[in-house]
Amino acid sequence: MIMGIASILLCCCCFPVGFIISFALGMGGLALAVISKKGQPFSAFAIAGLVLSILGICGSLFIFGCYMLTAQMMKDPEYSALFNEIFQQYYSK
C-alpha cells in the first residue's frame, strides 16, 4: 500500500525521473499485493495497495504519454512557434 501511495505522489511531482520511479514503485506494489494473497482472499490493505499501485502505473503512463506528445509537437514548426509565444508571455510577467 505504501508503494502505491508513493507511486501516485511521485508521478505528479518529480517530473524528469518521477514517472520512471513511479512506474517501478507501482509495479513493485502490484507484485507485492499479489504475492501477499497466499491462497486466501485479498485483505483490505492488499486491495488498497492493488488499487493504488494500478492508479500509480496508469498515472505514470499518462504523464509519460503527455511528455512524448509534447516532445513530438515541439518538432512541428507551427506548434513550436505557439510554445515559444506562450513561454515569452510567461517570462515577461
Side-chain angles (χ1 to χ4, degrees), residues 29-43:
L30 187 67
L32 288 176
V34 170
I35 289 172
S36 73
K37 186 175 178 183
K38 296 181 184 173
Q40 299 176 353
F42 281 116
S43 67

Side-chain angles (χ1 to χ4, degrees), residues 35-66:
I35 289 172
S36 73
K37 186 175 178 183
K38 296 181 184 173
Q40 299 176 353
F42 281 116
S43 67
F45 282 115
I47 293 172
L50 192 67
V51 169
L52 290 172
S53 296
I54 291 172
L55 287 175
I57 291 169
C58 291
S60 65
L61 290 176
F62 177 74
I63 296 293
F64 181 71
C66 289

Side-chain angles (χ1 to χ4, degrees), residues 4-26:
I5 293 170
S7 174
I8 290 174
L9 291 176
L10 282 175
C11 80
C12 297
C13 62
C14 304
F15 177 66
V17 220
F19 58 87
I20 296 170
I21 296 172
S22 173
F23 185 78
L25 284 174

